[in-house]
Amino acid sequence: MPQSPSLSAAAGPKRPTELLRALFRRNETVLLVCLVALIVFFSFASGTFLTTRNITNVLGQASLAMIAGIGIGVVVLAGEIDVSIGSLVGAVGIPLVVVMNQTGSLELGMAAALLLALGVGVANGYLAAYLGINSLIVTLGTMFVIRGGIYLYTGQRAISDDLQLESFYQMGNGRLLGTVPYPALVALVLLVAFVYLMRHRPFGRQIYAVGGNPEVARLAGYNVKRLKFAAFVICSLLAGISGILLSSRLGSAVHVAGLGFEFQVVAAVVLGGVSLAGGVGSLLGVALGVLILAFLSNGLGMLNIATEWQLVITGLIIIAAVAFDELKRRRQ
Amino acid sequence: AAETPKKIGYVTNYATHEWYQNVIKGMQDRAGQLGIEFEVRDANLDVARMVSAAEDFMAQGVDVLIITPVNEEGAVPLVRRAKEDGVPLVLEGNPVSGMTTMVAICDYDTGYHAGVAAGEYARDKLGGVAKVMNVGLPLLSATVLRSNGFMDGLKTILPDATMVHDLDGGGNPDRSLEVSAAALAQNGDINIIYGINDSSSQGGLQAWKAAGKSQDGLLVVGTGGEGLGFINMMATEPSYQIEAAMFPEKVGFTSIDAAVKLFNNEAVPAHIVSPTTPMVGTDSWKQYYSVEGTTRTINWDTVNAVVPADKCMKTAADL
Amino acid sequence: MSETTQAAKPAPVLGRLAENSQIVLLGLLVLLCIGISLGSPQFYSVENIIAILRQCSLVLIVAAGMTMLLIAAEVDLSVGASLAFSGVVAMDVTNKTGSVALGVLAGILFGGAVGLFNGLVVTRLRVNSLIATIATMMILQGSVFLYSREAVQNKHQQVAFTEISTGYVGPVPIPVIIAAVVFVAAFIVLRYTTIGRYIYAVGANQKAARLSGIRPERLKLLVFVVTGLLTGLAGLILTSLMNAGQPTAGRGFELTVIAAVILGGTSLLGGRGTLIGTLLGVLVLKVIDNGIIILRWDQNLQMVVPGVVIIVATYLDLIRSRANAR
Amino acid sequence: MPADAATAAVVRPAGPALEMAGIGKRFPGVLALENVDLTLEPGKVHALMGENGAGKSTLIKILAGVYQRDAGTVRIGGAEADLRSPRDALRAGIKVVFQEIALISEFTVAENIFLEEYPVNGLGSIRWSTIRKEAAALFARLGFDVDPAAKVGQLPVSQQQMVEIARALAHEARIVVMDEPTSSLTPNEVALLFTVIRRLTGLGIAVLYVTHKLDEVFEIADTVTVLRDGRHISTRPIGAHTHESLIQDMIGRKIDNLFPRERGAARGDVVVKVEGLSTDKLKDVSFEAKAGEVLGFFGLMGAGRTELAKAIVGFDPIRTGRISIGGTPLVPHNTRTGVALGIGLLTEDRKSEGLMLELPVLQNTSLAALEDFARAGFVDEGRERSAVQQFVDRFRVKTPSLNQQIKNLSGGNQQKVLLARWLMRGLKVIVVDEPTRGIDVGAKSEIFALIDRLAGEGLAVIMMTSEMPELLGLSDRIAVMAEGRITAVMDREGATQEAILNAAIA
Ligand SMILES: Nc1ncnc2c1ncn2[C@@H]1O[C@H](COP(=O)(O)OP(=O)(O)OP(=O)(O)O)[C@@H](O)[C@H]1O
Ligand SMILES: Nc1ncnc2c1ncn2[C@@H]1O[C@H](COP(=O)(O)OP(=O)(O)OP(=O)(O)O)[C@@H](O)[C@H]1O
Ligand SMILES: [Mg+2]
Ligand SMILES: [Mg+2]
């Protein structure tokens, strides 16, 4: 695991075979190979898979899980978990659309949405990091509370975007130069930023340390609670961004948006090699995990495979991939 | 003669649900008859997946797209994107603003006519008393319309009819059973159970039975005629006397026809109404369906003879 | 280690109130019951109490297994999907063989087989159980429709089949008796037997347990299978209650079960937990669920209130254990 | 800006570097410290000694900001200090090498060194090249042989301990505290450490040094403070102490002979027979151990003793070779078979392989012997309790009750519980890996007496140890390992320290 990338990279000159082996020990390489294999397979199996349109489509679709996945990645690396993101993704659409309808401003709507996300992040973080309640319990609780709150507030009705703002539509549905969906761009920027943050900023390394061993981190003078708190806030804000983009793709605030999303994302994060025990894994792996699941879903659809088979195949692949990763880890 | 599209893609809400299984069956049969390639993608109740699936179909280059939205508001951008892409779009089940056409039953009317039938039944067999437990689903406007229609229809016969308890059964049998058990315990006077789909009415009825109550003096009204469940219940449960049949196969059949018309730029109404009718009495279903083993077959002659209304009495816009 | 001593000082009153996690929950339960019955006396009707108990029994049966699983530091999220599938199998086999006994057996064994699969994936392939059982949940949700596209009806209207859930022994409904038996058995196993002790040991430190001659894999496999069998049993009861095997049933059931278990004070990290706590957790959740309907509150509160209760109860328990450690 | 303390300029304050006065600390059921005073002078090594559970680590943790004191004052360089968190302590220039290894095992050695403060560039990015270079330079200066690019989790305990020490010295410090820093080090490494400590004191840094090893104290300390049961017993210059007086202060009584030998020379049948054993680490290891003997294994760090111990009890997989216990082959190769055949292992790594931290003393003690208290699978808790109580009394485990969570016991007391875990169960062979690591002299002598008695009762004891006196004092035969092989086996009579070390280097 390349916890200190520059260190492992510069471990001295090696023979090519050794370099290759070292490369393959990296979880990301294996995931990348899987992804490429998947793409090659579907390209041959389906005539409509390998088109710019379809590939960019998938990138756009994957970006929502990717953005949220970065957040979950950070929280899990910090040794915690957040299962409330699915509800949050559904919830942020409400302030977004309500404020937008009232003020006619997308910016104000987004600010309101992010404010809600921030509030949820602060609540989760306070309960889990400062009060010390197990984060699965906390976020399971907030997951119920938020979803129930959505239903209470909306009376289980979607809220439509009355003003039909063009900018709101374009955000989730538009494409840069007609090719790259904007959500994919947002995801890419966030990915690069957070990969840098987690690898090359003390804050990122401290998150790793806190997840790897909170006691040690505390002895090293870290404010463990504050770091974990920060991880929750980051996670919620990213889920908020994901929810804003989803809301744009749906052109409204849909009360059932994001149902089950947390499990999809957690599955992708674990598939990407992040250990639920904390402190192990990388955001690059998370991104690859998300892409693998997204291309799998798209490819199986292109092959006209029924839902029930899709579920079975995806489940088996998750087990196989995680088992393989585990085997590899044990071999070392 | 008109041309037929080569390929139609259908994004469904919940492919594994019996109702949609039969809608798909109707579509497949009709597409097969017309020699059209037909593909289904399932949103599996996930709005984000609904958008992705429609996107994928458009990338794949289908000639016509049919969508049953998971949520109608969430499909608004899809209507626009389909237009931008030049793909004709048929909505099934729920209207979406900006759409060209929709194939759907009239949910309010369906409930209403079942309500009228229930009112007559209650007048004749239940001493004119109607205390209703609604095993509803506030999540969808369609199911809310059904419940409203049912009560309004019921009141045309029995103006004193009341909804004693209005429940959210999640549209699931197990959840319906759970919430019904509580409501039945609280309200000893319930004598009509209305379910917004067959799972809901079944959940309500099973809660009644589990409470050890006799079915004398009870009326159960189901909605949908989705699969085998209602047939079995009508055949075996004395209180299950009315089913508001909605003929999913017919919906599917009509949707494909609408898709073909749209493909040929023919004029289509904004709402193509698919017929529904209350079936009253133990054997009433046999008029429309025959069952062999675990497959049911629709009787097209009788179903096609049910004349749909031109226009719904109430729609989601009235809520 | 030092966390205990670092804890913020809790208000003394809170600390005293929250002397024992079971007392917190018990108090909560009593408060709920009193509150609800003040709002609506029907809460205490025999009918309603039986309805609550019947619902509790479904959850409790599975929660008994889940408690052991969490103590052993594993989890099973596939119980909801397995509940539905095993019910479908039970009904189908009953229909095909005409024998309720065979159907019952098939349903329970199917659940056991799912547990075995989960257990093997977790112990042999070493896949983290959270992710493994999410995968199993997907597999089951898909394959149940490959097995049967429709709800499987009680074709021959076997009364014996419906009796499983609606029958009584004296004044007590059969499912409640089944749940009581399961609960007592699980309680005895966890509290008084070597296997129970080993479950705690494996959850607390797997390596230490292995060094002492315990086979953690076997033990975990066993607990997965037991949880699976119990899920099959609950699925059977649900199917009997529905008089049909519903492939779409059980959605979210896993969360209810896990919520009840953690509400009961079982640690997600393994090595800690009690069945009494789980029992109280189940009762609290189901009384809330029932009470909201009885009181005619907005049913959306059925999500909000348990969410708040889980957090608050866990927090009170935390204060209690910190106060004790003082 | 991190810098090696050994080269940093340190302003030498006039008065004491640290004054702790009237320190009190209470844990539930335990008065860990009561009115304890401690004064550290700059440029001096102050040893802190006492039995297990005397309160040494607690005092250090108060100094490190990990625990909050209940009473007393702390003054650093004359000024009152409020140490509310480790961060405060670090800021005050206090560096601590903790008793439990405190490193992030997923990080590289170099990164661990800079955990407290990453060097960053103007933009706030971590300067990895600086980290790499400075870590390498630091190890070179200290003379420790550790690869800075290695992942800490993959290093043996001894190397991890060196990383810990290096980490404490990487930054400027006024006070350096070491809580049993040498528990896993070889004599060579201890010598290196002492050189470093002398360099530190030369710069005016105050050193607080905790150990259970008397020889070390006499070699390095200037002053000794002894605690007993959380109370201050004595503070004297080292010159005023003899071994006996120190022990007397610590345990309140004398130990005549640390290595009593009650058992006779009689040896029984061969109970452990290992032939041609190979694993990833071990190469063709063969030996026998007889009933009634103590077979000591010596080796330098990484020689393979721990691997051997884990392999012969069935915990780690083996490649080839045969192991038989009491004539029965250990097949299938797992701990269940091992335990059933009567072989058990007291592991080197207490926390991760021995203790069930969240569970009480009772469950921790009876784990391996539980079946003896069970009838038809049901545990007779009354019998279990009284049996455990007997062991707790006999081993003088300091615990308020059997229901105390074991994580709240001191290291030495935890070790006693783990030994009791095995002795409650009738074994033929016990393998003990560093059995007295972190254990006080009093307890040590009890454990030695126990081992002697067990051997006398016919048990075969296989003891992996890095302690030369322990090895020579207790073993009947001595096997020496190097690089996964047994390089020599000698009788106790013929063994000399020199011969053993020669074989260990071979
Ligand atoms: N967190 C805690 N909770 C409860 N009791 C504790 C805690 N930490 C230490 N103790 C108790 O305080 C006493 C002092 O323990 P401490 O660890 O300071 O001993 P020590 O002198 O370092 O012993 P050793 O030589 O074994 O390391 C012991 O009786 C121990 O059981
Ligand atoms: N030079 C080394 N570099 C990295 N890892 C090592 C090295 N030597 C040993 N190890 C690992 O450290 C662990 C303990 O080592 P081993 O059993 O060989 O040592 P030992 O003889 O018991 O000595 P000690 O316990 O004092 O380190 C093993 O997991 C081994 O793989
Ligand atoms: Mg100590
Ligand atoms: Mg060793």
Side-chain angles (χ1 to χ4, degrees):
Chain A
M1 217 59 21
Q3 298 312 333
S4 327
S6 23
L7 278 174
S8 45
K14 283 179 185 158
R15 279 176 298 136
T17 51
E18 228 173 292
L19 211 67
L20 211 63
R21 206 173 302 148
L23 203 61
F24 265 83
R25 250 197 308 261
R26 290 183 61 147
N27 187 33
E28 292 89 342
T29 318
V30 177
L31 287 168
L32 191 63
V33 169
C34 287
L35 180 61
V36 170
L38 209 62
I39 292 177
V40 169
F41 170 77
F42 283 127
S43 306
F44 281 104
S46 156
T48 47
F49 179 82
L50 195 64
T51 58
T52 315
R53 175 79 184 276
N54 189 54
I55 299 293
T56 52
N57 264 356
V58 180
L59 293 179
Q61 292 162 10
S63 54
L64 301 182
M66 177 106 64
I67 294 167
I70 295 169
I72 291 287
V74 171
V75 162
V76 174
L77 284 173
E80 302 289 335
I81 190 144
D82 185 348
V83 294
S84 71
I85 56 156
S87 294
L88 181 57
V89 159
V92 291
I94 297 172
L96 173 67
V97 174
V98 167
V99 169
M100 214 165 51
N101 282 345
Q102 275 168 11
T103 64
S105 155
L106 172 65
E107 289 73 21
L108 284 180
M110 284 175 32
L114 289 177
L115 208 62
L116 174 68
L118 181 69
V120 170
V122 166
N124 282 339
Y126 179 73
L127 292 168
Y130 284 101
L131 295 190
I133 311 175
N134 180 295
S135 58
L136 186 57
I137 297 179
V138 166
T139 56
L140 199 65
T142 48
M143 164 181 159
F144 287 134
V145 171
I146 298 170
R147 183 66 65 185
I150 297 175
Y151 289 178
L152 279 173
Y153 181 80
T154 62
Q156 305 204 17
R157 286 281 86 81
I159 303 173
S160 61
D161 158 33
D162 297 337
L163 305 178
Q164 296 285 316
L165 288 181
E166 185 60 17
S167 52
F168 178 56
Y169 173 84
Q170 287 300 337
M171 193 167 57
N173 298 285
R175 285 160 187 259
L176 183 71
L177 307 173
T179 326
V180 190
Y182 290 129
L185 283 180
V186 176
L188 184 70
V189 169
L190 287 171
L191 181 66
V192 170
F194 275 90
V195 165
Y196 164 74
L197 179 76
M198 294 304 284
R199 285 190 173 194
H200 295 292
R201 307 286 296 196
F203 173 78
R205 307 311 301 167
Q206 288 171 356
I207 292 273
Y208 270 100
V210 162
N213 192 332
E215 193 57 37
V216 173
R218 208 163 76 80
L219 295 178
Y222 296 178
N223 191 332
V224 173
K225 290 175 182 173
R226 194 191 299 161
L227 285 164
K228 289 196 169 188
F229 178 82
F232 280 104
V233 171
I234 287 174
C235 179
S236 285
L237 284 174
L238 288 175
I241 295 175
S242 182
I244 290 172
L245 291 171
L246 177 61
S247 189
S248 161
R249 276 166 75 79
L250 300 173
S252 53
V254 179
H255 52 296
V256 290
L259 276 177
F261 187 61
E262 59 282 335
F263 287 134
Q264 286 172 29
V265 175
V266 169
V269 166
V270 175
L271 187 65
V274 176
S275 157
L276 289 171
V280 182
S282 77
L283 293 183
L284 221 50
V286 170
L288 289 166
V290 169
L291 287 177
I292 287 176
L293 288 183
F295 274 105
L296 189 65
S297 160
N298 172 271
L300 291 174
M302 288 287 168
L303 296 182
N304 200 13
I305 307 258
T307 323
E308 42 269 45
W309 277 113
Q310 286 199 30
L311 284 167
V312 173
I313 292 169
T314 312
L316 288 174
I317 285 182
I318 289 174
I319 290 178
V322 179
F324 175 77
D325 189 40
E326 200 50 47
L327 191 74
K328 191 162 58 80
R329 216 168 277 178
R330 254 188 299 162
R331 279 269 174 77
Q332 281 169 29
Chain B
E3 292 192 19
T4 53
K6 277 207 270 305
K7 184 166 179 177
I8 295 178
Y10 172 43
V11 179
T12 185
N13 169 11
Y14 190 12
T16 45
H17 193 276
E18 286 183 332
W19 165 267
Y20 292 104
Q21 285 180 33
N22 283 313
V23 170
I24 292 168
K25 205 151 89 180
M27 290 185 180
Q28 271 164 343
D29 289 352
R30 186 57 178 158
Q33 285 170 11
L34 302 174
I36 302 169
E37 194 187 334
F38 174 72
E39 261 187 43
V40 187
R41 298 248 164 96
D42 181 12
N44 205 11
L45 294 179
D46 178 348
V47 263
R49 256 181 101 89
M50 166 183 81
V51 178
S52 304
E55 225 171 34
D56 289 351
F57 268 138
M58 290 190 254
Q60 222 176 332
V62 290
D63 296 317
V64 191
L65 193 55
I66 308 175
I67 297 179
T68 301
V70 174
N71 180 279
E72 52 265 37
E73 292 295 345
V76 174
L78 283 179
V79 172
R80 175 168 165 190
R81 290 172 70 175
K83 268 192 194 135
E84 284 169 2
D85 248 38
V87 181
L89 174 65
V90 177
L91 270 301
E92 187 281 319
N94 293 290
V96 174
S97 77
M99 67 175 188
T100 315
T101 187
M102 158 181 81
V103 176
I105 59 154
C106 290
D107 284 294
Y108 180 85
D109 305 32
T110 305
Y112 184 88
H113 295 304
V116 172
E120 285 162 355
Y121 183 94
R123 185 189 57 208
D124 299 342
K125 308 254 172 71
L126 304 178
V129 181
K131 305 270 187 197
V132 179
M133 174 172 82
N134 174 40
V135 190
L137 181 62
L139 195 68
L140 301 174
S141 53
T143 48
V144 175
L145 281 171
R146 287 174 209 171
S147 301
N148 292 354
F150 180 79
M151 287 313 294
D152 291 349
L154 184 62
K155 282 181 183 157
T156 59
I157 309 291
L158 300 174
D160 292 340
T162 49
M163 188 189 284
V164 178
H165 221 132
D166 187 9
L167 296 169
D168 180 355
N172 292 326
D174 42 347
R175 186 65 186 149
S176 296
L177 179 129
E178 199 171 344
V179 297
S180 300
L184 289 172
Q186 201 209 6
N187 307 282
D189 54 350
I190 287 168
N191 71 343
I192 297 179
I193 297 172
Y194 177 70
I196 51 85
N197 62 8
D198 291 344
S199 299
S200 302
S201 48
Q202 185 175 14
L205 172 58
Q206 292 301 337
W208 180 279
K209 285 162 67 185
K213 297 181 170 197
S214 139
Q215 290 186 44
D216 297 345
L218 174 70
L219 169 66
V220 179
V221 183
T223 312
E226 297 156 354
L228 294 173
F230 86 97
I231 292 177
N232 198 59
M233 282 186 291
M234 286 193 109
T236 55
E237 306 292 357
S239 63
Y240 205 109
Q241 287 295 329
I242 301 177
E243 173 76 13
M246 308 196 309
F247 310 117
E249 297 90 338
K250 174 77 179 174
V251 171
F253 194 98
T254 314
S255 301
I256 295 287
D257 281 349
V260 174
K261 282 190 186 147
L262 220 53
F263 181 73
N264 287 318
N265 286 320
E266 286 177 39
V268 284
H271 181 176
I272 304 172
V273 180
S274 189
T276 61
T277 186
M279 305 187 291
V280 184
T282 306
D283 288 332
S284 55
W285 60 272
K286 290 185 178 159
Q287 206 183 331
Y288 303 102
Y289 287 105
S290 57
V291 172
E292 208 165 316
T294 55
T295 42
R296 68 172 199 181
T297 315
I298 192 165
N299 183 346
W300 284 115
D301 294 341
T302 49
V303 171
N304 286 335
V306 180
V307 183
D310 292 336
K311 198 172 164 297
C312 299
M313 299 160 76
K314 277 189 185 175
T315 64
D318 302 315
L319 280 180
Chain C
M1 175 166 40
S2 51
E3 287 298 321
T4 41
T5 54
Q6 276 287 304
K9 286 193 176 69
V13 182
L14 265 185
R16 232 175 297 131
L17 264 183
E19 202 64 273
N20 180 309
S21 67
Q22 266 107 34
I23 283 180
V24 172
L25 277 180
L26 201 62
L28 189 63
L29 186 61
V30 170
L31 278 179
L32 279 171
C33 290
I34 293 173
I36 296 169
S37 55
L38 285 181
S40 169
Q42 282 92 343
F43 179 75
Y44 275 128
S45 66
V46 176
E47 244 184 338
N48 194 43
I49 287 172
I50 286 181
I52 294 177
L53 288 180
R54 209 183 259 123
Q55 285 309 322
C56 284
S57 55
L58 270 180
V59 179
L60 183 61
I61 289 170
V62 180
M66 191 71 79
T67 306
M68 296 195 230
L69 216 42
L70 285 188
I71 291 172
E74 300 292 346
V75 70
D76 186 352
L77 287 175
S78 71
V79 291
S82 172
L83 182 84
F85 205 152
S86 39
V88 169
V89 170
M91 195 73 257
D92 189 50
V93 171
T94 305
N95 283 346
K96 288 199 171 121
T97 62
S99 153
V100 172
L102 282 179
V104 166
L105 200 65
I108 296 175
L109 287 182
F110 180 85
V114 172
L116 184 67
F117 176 80
N118 282 332
L120 288 175
V121 169
V122 171
T123 59
R124 302 279 149 190
L125 302 182
R126 313 258 177 116
V127 179
N128 175 293
S129 59
L130 185 74
I131 199 76
T133 56
I134 288 181
T136 311
M137 171 173 85
M138 294 171 82
I139 294 172
L140 290 172
Q141 279 176 355
S143 55
V144 69
F145 292 104
L146 298 174
Y147 180 84
S148 165
R149 307 229 18 126
E150 290 102 11
V152 181
Q153 307 299 326
N154 188 350
K155 212 167 69 187
H156 309 302
Q157 286 299 315
Q158 301 256 21
V159 180
F161 194 85
T162 50
E163 280 289 301
I164 296 170
S165 62
T166 55
Y168 288 80
V169 173
V172 193
I174 291 178
V176 176
I177 294 189
I178 296 176
V181 169
V182 166
F183 176 80
V184 169
F187 180 82
I188 289 175
V189 167
L190 264 185
R191 182 73 185 72
Y192 295 109
T193 69
T194 48
I195 290 193
R197 286 291 199 81
Y198 291 158
I199 290 174
Y200 281 97
V202 164
N205 187 337
Q206 178 154 339
K207 282 183 188 169
R210 187 198 309 285
L211 271 167
S212 301
I214 299 162
R215 282 171 294 188
E217 286 78 18
R218 288 276 179 100
L219 201 69
K220 286 185 170 179
L221 190 64
L222 177 75
V223 182
F224 269 110
V225 170
V226 167
T227 306
L229 289 169
L230 293 176
T231 308
L233 182 62
L236 175 79
I237 294 172
L238 179 65
T239 300
S240 156
L241 213 48
M242 299 304 311
N243 204 19
Q246 300 276 5
T248 52
R251 283 199 178 231
F253 182 72
E254 61 281 344
L255 291 184
T256 308
V257 171
I258 291 173
V261 175
I262 57 184
L263 183 57
T266 296
S267 160
L268 289 158
L269 304 174
R272 228 154 49 82
T274 63
L275 271 166
I276 301 279
T278 297
L279 173 67
L280 290 170
V282 171
L283 283 168
V284 166
L285 285 186
K286 285 296 157 190
V287 164
I288 291 173
D289 208 42
N290 178 278
I292 285 171
I293 291 177
I294 292 278
L295 294 175
R296 297 168 166 280
W297 286 5
D298 189 322
Q299 253 187 273
N300 292 316
L301 290 168
Q302 283 175 328
M303 286 182 134
V304 179
V305 177
V308 173
V309 166
I310 288 170
I311 295 176
V312 170
T314 312
Y315 180 57
L316 287 180
D317 187 37
L318 206 67
I319 291 179
R320 176 195 60 81
S321 59
R322 282 175 190 167
N324 277 3
R326 206 147 278 269
Chain D
M1 184 84 274
D4 180 359
T7 58
V10 176
V11 188
R12 194 180 296 235
L18 170 80
E19 290 170 276
M20 295 176 91
I23 302 293
K25 177 73 189 171
R26 177 181 288 282
F27 292 117
V30 183
L31 187 60
L33 291 174
E34 192 185 359
N35 198 16
V36 171
D37 299 341
L38 180 75
T39 305
L40 300 188
E41 299 295 336
K44 297 276 189 258
V45 177
H46 194 123
L48 184 60
M49 300 203 68
E51 288 177 286
N52 293 128
K56 306 180 293 292
S57 295
T58 304
L59 190 67
I60 286 172
K61 284 180 179 170
I62 287 172
L63 183 56
V66 177
Y67 291 162
Q68 302 305 305
R69 62 186 186 274
D70 297 338
T73 53
V74 179
R75 302 175 79 84
I76 295 169
E80 188 135 342
D82 194 17
L83 306 168
R84 312 202 120 265
S85 74
R87 173 146 231 133
D88 293 344
L90 289 167
R91 286 221 184 95
I94 300 167
K95 304 289 169 191
V96 182
V97 178
F98 289 97
Q99 186 174 1
E100 307 283 349
I101 285 178
L103 299 169
I104 303 290
S105 53
E106 285 295 322
F107 284 4
T108 60
V109 168
E111 188 172 1
N112 265 290
I113 301 276
F114 289 90
L115 213 51
E116 280 152 23
E117 196 172 354
Y118 287 90
V120 291
N121 64 19
L123 297 171
S125 295
I126 297 173
R127 295 197 335 222
W128 289 109
S129 58
T130 307
I131 287 182
R132 212 160 47 230
K133 275 187 222 133
E134 290 199 8
L138 178 65
F139 282 111
R141 260 201 311 276
L142 295 175
F144 290 171
D145 180 23
V146 180
D147 174 11
K151 209 155 83 170
V152 161
Q154 284 163 356
L155 296 180
V157 185
S158 56
Q159 294 208 358
Q160 293 187 11
Q161 203 159 50
M162 293 196 279
V163 178
E164 275 271 12
I165 295 167
R167 194 173 131 209
L169 304 184
H171 310 267
E172 275 180 44
R174 280 203 278 180
I175 299 165
V176 172
V177 183
M178 299 187 177
D179 196 351
E180 303 193 38
T182 57
S183 59
S184 307
L185 298 190
T186 60
N188 252 340
E189 291 153 5
V190 174
L192 280 173
L193 175 66
F194 284 179
T195 317
V196 175
I197 291 180
R198 288 193 186 102
R199 218 155 65 214
L200 294 179
T201 50
L203 288 166
I205 294 170
V207 176
L208 180 62
Y209 192 90
V210 178
T211 186
H212 289 294
K213 299 176 184 173
L214 296 184
D215 293 341
E216 288 182 0
V217 176
F218 283 100
E219 187 178 341
I220 195 77
D222 299 299
T223 317
V224 187
T225 289
V226 177
L227 301 182
R228 196 194 309 153
D229 291 333
R231 270 181 288 266
H232 181 264
I233 298 296
S234 66
T235 299
R236 285 179 211 162
I238 190 69
H241 267 303
T242 61
H243 270 70
E244 288 69 31
S245 70
L246 198 48
I247 292 174
Q248 171 81 43
D249 276 1
M250 280 163 63
I251 62 178
R253 63 190 156 94
K254 276 197 182 137
I255 293 181
D256 303 326
N257 184 1
L258 195 55
F259 302 104
R261 196 180 166 92
E262 308 279 320
R263 66 180 190 273
R267 291 196 203 154
D269 304 331
V270 171
V271 280
V272 184
K273 195 172 160 96
V274 175
E275 289 166 289
L277 181 69
S278 295
T279 68
D280 289 351
K281 184 81 196 287
L282 302 174
K283 295 172 201 103
D284 193 25
V285 173
S286 304
F287 70 90
E288 295 177 351
K290 300 195 177 83
E293 79 167 340
V294 176
L295 173 59
F297 274 83
F298 185 80
L300 299 183
M301 170 204 90
R305 288 161 302 167
T306 298
E307 297 247 334
L308 178 62
K310 285 184 175 171
I312 59 179
V313 300
F315 189 75
D316 277 359
I318 60 171
R319 259 200 214 134
T320 54
R322 273 190 308 198
I323 301 158
S324 61
I325 314 294
T328 318
L330 182 62
V331 176
H333 188 83
N334 59 36
T335 48
R336 185 170 182 82
T337 322
V339 171
L341 291 178
I343 186 167
L345 168 66
L346 182 72
T347 59
E348 181 181 39
D349 190 343
R350 263 202 302 269
K351 206 167 181 178
S352 86
E353 294 172 345
L355 302 168
M356 302 186 288
L357 291 170
E358 298 294 325
L359 295 188
V361 171
L362 176 75
Q363 260 96 315
N364 269 287
T365 315
S366 64
L367 181 65
L370 200 58
E371 249 126 60
D372 297 345
F373 308 111
R375 212 171 299 145
F378 285 83
V379 182
D380 180 345
E381 211 180 300
R383 276 209 307 154
E384 179 197 9
R385 227 165 235 287
S386 62
V388 169
Q389 189 65 54
Q390 269 178 21
F391 270 89
V392 164
D393 294 344
R394 197 164 113 204
F395 283 26
R396 287 195 241 163
V397 178
K398 212 172 278 172
T399 176
S401 92
L402 296 189
N403 296 329
Q404 174 78 322
Q405 283 184 329
I406 196 145
K407 66 176 177 190
N408 294 335
L409 264 54
S410 77
N413 283 305
Q414 290 174 342
Q415 185 75 336
K416 289 187 199 170
V417 167
L418 293 183
L419 193 58
R421 177 187 291 174
W422 282 121
L423 299 183
M424 274 185 91
R425 193 190 160 97
L427 288 179
K428 289 200 187 84
V429 192
I430 183 159
V431 185
V432 293
D433 194 1
E434 310 288 1
T436 60
R437 177 168 292 173
I439 289 196
D440 69 52
V441 276
K444 244 183 217 173
S445 80
E446 291 170 43
I447 287 177
F448 293 150
L450 252 161
I451 289 177
D452 177 63
R453 200 164 87 212
L454 292 168
E457 286 167 9
L459 210 76
V461 180
I462 296 176
M463 178 175 73
M464 317 301 187
T465 179
S466 308
E467 304 292 313
M468 195 58 87
E470 187 170 308
L471 181 81
L472 291 169
L474 220 59
S475 313
D476 293 298
R477 288 189 302 141
I478 293 167
V480 185
M481 292 188 71
E483 291 174 10
R485 297 174 198 281
I486 294 186
T487 48
V489 180
M490 44 193 109
D491 278 334
R492 163 195 166 98
E493 291 75 28
T496 63
Q497 198 150 333
E498 238 181 331
I500 292 170
L501 282 172
N502 275 336
I505 295 163

